[in-house]
Amino acid sequence: MLKLLRMTHQREVILHELRLCSHHPTADDLYDRVKTRLPRISLATVYRNLEILSQAGLIKKLTIDGRQKRFDWDPTPHNHIFCMNCQRVDDITCEVPEPLVAVPEQTTGYCILGCRINFFGLCMHCQEYISNKEKGE
Ligand SMILES: [Zn+2]
Ligand SMILES: [Zn+2]
């Protein structure tokens, strides 16, 4: 649910830097970027503001077991693909097929409003790296 949020200068800078990143950065990545504009900001402050912004629905937090949280400037529904080798995260646009929603709706009695799918694989860089290694280069 959207809450009214006071847009502080810190939050504006954090949002701005997040929008410049297309790769779903971690809080640490963003901290490095924000620090160049707000040298006195702490990692804890960046972290807290990211939590507040995601609770307000302005950004999206991506949580995957065993990985650092990633932040997404785009809060609209979309799916993600994760590289299992280099931790890269990309957006993926693909519709969830109907039966995937219809079956659990019938069996659980829930009215299902959405479904998020995480894809895992190897990004193009990692595929290239691995095939070069196999060739002994
Ligand atoms: Zn990769
Ligand atoms: Zn995304």
Side-chain angles (χ1 to χ4, degrees):
M1 297 303 115
L2 287 180
K3 272 190 291 181
L4 267 178
L5 184 70
R6 202 164 55 90
M7 196 41 78
T8 62
H9 180 59
Q10 284 180 339
R11 282 175 200 157
E12 266 169 28
V13 172
I14 292 169
L15 262 183
H16 178 80
E17 290 299 326
L18 181 58
R19 287 190 178 125
L20 293 177
C21 296
S22 55
H23 62 280
H24 308 84
T26 62
D28 293 307
D29 293 338
L30 266 174
Y31 170 62
D32 285 339
R33 299 180 67 115
V34 170
K35 218 170 38 175
T36 63
R37 296 184 55 194
L38 303 171
R40 288 165 61 194
I41 202 164
S42 69
L43 177 60
T45 303
V46 170
Y47 208 82
R48 196 179 58 236
N49 278 298
L50 285 168
E51 292 288 336
I52 292 168
L53 288 166
S54 74
Q55 272 166 27
L58 291 171
I59 63 172
K60 203 161 73 178
K61 188 166 64 176
L62 309 177
T63 41
I64 293 293
D65 291 347
R67 283 174 179 241
Q68 262 192 298
K69 283 180 203 133
R70 312 291 288 239
F71 293 89
D72 193 342
W73 65 270
D74 180 4
T76 62
H78 60 275
N79 297 313
H80 292 98
I81 186 154
F82 296 79
C83 179
M84 296 168 79
N85 189 51
C86 71
Q87 319 283 307
R88 183 192 163 102
V89 183
D90 280 300
D91 286 341
I92 192 164
T93 31
C94 81
E95 293 292 316
V96 176
E98 285 285 318
L100 217 58
V101 177
V103 171
E105 203 156 51
Q106 282 158 15
T107 54
T108 63
Y110 268 76
C111 168
I112 293 173
L113 300 171
C115 172
R116 269 188 218 136
I117 298 185
N118 293 321
F119 293 83
F120 295 89
L122 291 170
C123 73
M124 262 152 43
H125 286 291
C126 292
Q127 287 175 52
E128 212 172 294
Y129 175 74
I130 288 164
S131 77
N132 284 342
K133 230 167 58 174
E134 281 168 358
K135 277 184 247 157
E137 276 169 33

